[in-house]
Amino acid sequence: MRWRGIYMACEGIPCIAIHSSLRGAERSEVVWHEIGHHLLHTPTTCFFTRSTARKMEFEAQVVMACALVPRPLLGRTFAELQEEYGYTRELLWFRKGVFEQFRT
């Protein structure tokens, strides 16, 4: 699989496409990442610098992490969240970092 999800404009209409093979927590992560792009970025063809692209990806990841792991869940252990929701340690560490940096 070369791509997991994409946010684009189709005839001027914002669209999100998610790879059909994705399931469970991985699919949820990709869906929320692309929703993050929809909420924060325009879906037009643009040329970005590497730092701008990294910033946009980081912002979409923050939206995804906050959507999947809202503040009330932050008091639970990684093991509990992994078992109940299937979240990866990478997602949980990222979410912890978002909370520590932004207090949200």
Side-chain angles (χ1 to χ4, degrees):
M1 162 182 5
R2 293 189 61 175
W3 62 279
R4 299 181 332 146
I6 187 168
Y7 175 56
M8 63 192 151
C10 298
E11 297 182 5
I13 299 170
C15 299
I16 293 174
I18 305 299
H19 199 282
S20 62
S21 69
L22 295 178
R23 300 283 182 268
E26 183 181 16
R27 182 178 184 83
S28 295
E29 286 184 29
V30 174
V31 167
W32 276 105
H33 176 92
E34 299 306 331
I35 290 171
H37 281 304
H38 173 69
L39 294 172
L40 302 172
H41 311 125
T42 39
T44 57
T45 304
C46 297
F47 295 98
F48 303 110
T49 65
R50 194 169 298 165
S51 66
T52 302
R54 276 194 304 264
K55 180 179 183 279
M56 291 171 66
E57 288 303 307
F58 175 77
E59 291 168 345
Q61 284 296 97
V62 168
V63 170
M64 177 273 295
C66 291
L68 292 179
V69 188
R71 283 183 75 171
L73 292 182
L74 293 177
R76 298 180 60 190
T77 68
F78 280 17
E80 290 172 330
L81 295 173
Q82 287 176 299
E83 184 177 327
E84 188 169 342
Y85 299 102
Y87 295 154
T88 63
R89 288 189 70 74
E90 292 81 11
L91 166 61
L92 298 172
W93 277 110
F94 183 81
R95 179 60 176 103
K96 182 177 186 279
V98 168
F99 178 75
E100 290 171 352
Q101 183 174 356
F102 301 109
R103 289 292 177 221
T104 189

